[in-house]
Amino acid sequence: MKKIASFTVNHDTLKKGIYISRVDGDVITYDVRVKIPNGGDYLGNGAMHTFEHLFATYARNSAYEKDVIYVGPMGCRTGFYLLLRDNVSGADAISLIVESFDFISKFEGNIPGTNKIECGNYLEHDLEGAKAVAEDMLSVLKGYTEEMLDYGYERA
């Protein structure tokens, strides 16, 4: 079988950040990397689950709601995929992600979609863990530019 594009990226060189993973027609996949791959520190299941609920809820209620195709976690527990229509610029995608992470970092109250009827694993959530990840990433994303969306961009 042909190797899929995401397996051709050298994960030993990836840092936290946002990358354009692929473009398929009018859909752009953003690799939102919140942990360093193979770094030994991964998203806990509860924090990842809560983060997904909050990220998806915010993005799907934003000005880009009609352009959001998918928000979901990576199986390796180092980040999330955000799929958007290509009429959302890279700069606007960055803004959406930053706004979403700011929302998550400050979230209080009941996590959306976390009762037994709405969620397939409604008992496994970690709001404080999700907030900590969001806050950490906000510092990484300060001053983030469209140029930085490229996997080849040299990061410090």
Side-chain angles (χ1 to χ4, degrees), residues 53 111-120 122:
H53 277 237
I111 302 159
T114 56
N115 68 50
K116 190 174 182 181
I117 294 170
E118 299 168 327
C119 180
Y122 75 104

Side-chain angles (χ1 to χ4, degrees), residues 54-66 68 96:
L54 293 171
F55 189 8
T57 297
Y58 187 89
R60 290 182 177 134
N61 282 280
S62 73
Y64 305 104
E65 67 181 321
K66 290 182 174 32
V68 175
L96 173 60

Side-chain angles (χ1 to χ4, degrees), residues 14 18-19 55-56 60 75 77 93 109 111 115-116 121 129-131:
L14 286 183
I18 307 166
Y19 305 87
F55 189 8
R60 290 182 177 134
R77 299 182 8 237
I111 302 159
N115 68 50
K116 190 174 182 181
N121 190 3
K131 290 169 74 167

Side-chain angles (χ1 to χ4, degrees), residues 64-86:
Y64 305 104
E65 67 181 321
K66 290 182 174 32
D67 299 305
V68 175
I69 306 295
Y70 175 74
V71 178
M74 295 177 179
C76 61
R77 299 182 8 237
T78 62
F80 297 86
Y81 293 112
L82 172 65
L83 279 67
L84 299 172
R85 296 264 178 230
D86 67 355

Side-chain angles (χ1 to χ4, degrees), residues 2-144:
K2 186 175 134 186
K3 189 182 283 194
I4 63 172
S6 61
F7 294 155
T8 66
V9 174
N10 183 350
H11 285 67
D12 283 340
T13 62
L14 286 183
K15 306 240 188 276
K16 294 178 187 179
I18 307 166
Y19 305 87
I20 292 178
S21 176
R22 53 185 298 140
V23 178
D24 298 289
D26 70 337
V27 178
I28 299 174
T29 300
Y30 291 91
D31 171 344
V32 185
R33 199 64 67 154
V34 301
K35 299 287 185 180
I36 296 171
N38 302 311
D41 176 32
Y42 305 101
L43 289 164
N45 287 331
M48 181 173 64
H49 191 190
T50 300
F51 202 103
E52 175 202 10
H53 277 237
L54 293 171
F55 189 8
T57 297
Y58 187 89
R60 290 182 177 134
N61 282 280
S62 73
Y64 305 104
E65 67 181 321
K66 290 182 174 32
D67 299 305
V68 175
I69 306 295
Y70 175 74
V71 178
M74 295 177 179
C76 61
R77 299 182 8 237
T78 62
F80 297 86
Y81 293 112
L82 172 65
L83 279 67
L84 299 172
R85 296 264 178 230
D86 67 355
N87 57 314
V88 178
S89 71
D92 287 340
I94 293 166
S95 291
L96 173 60
I97 293 164
V98 169
E99 290 169 15
S100 297
F101 286 21
D102 185 58
F103 168 76
I104 294 165
S105 74
K106 296 173 181 165
F107 188 82
E108 297 293 335
N110 294 327
I111 302 159
T114 56
N115 68 50
K116 190 174 182 181
I117 294 170
E118 299 168 327
C119 180
N121 190 3
Y122 75 104
L123 295 176
E124 189 171 26
H125 283 276
D126 175 5
L127 178 57
E128 292 310 311
K131 290 169 74 167
V133 169
E135 193 159 318
D136 175 62
M137 278 303 291
L138 286 170
S139 64
V140 171
L141 299 177
K142 274 191 191 340
Y144 219 82

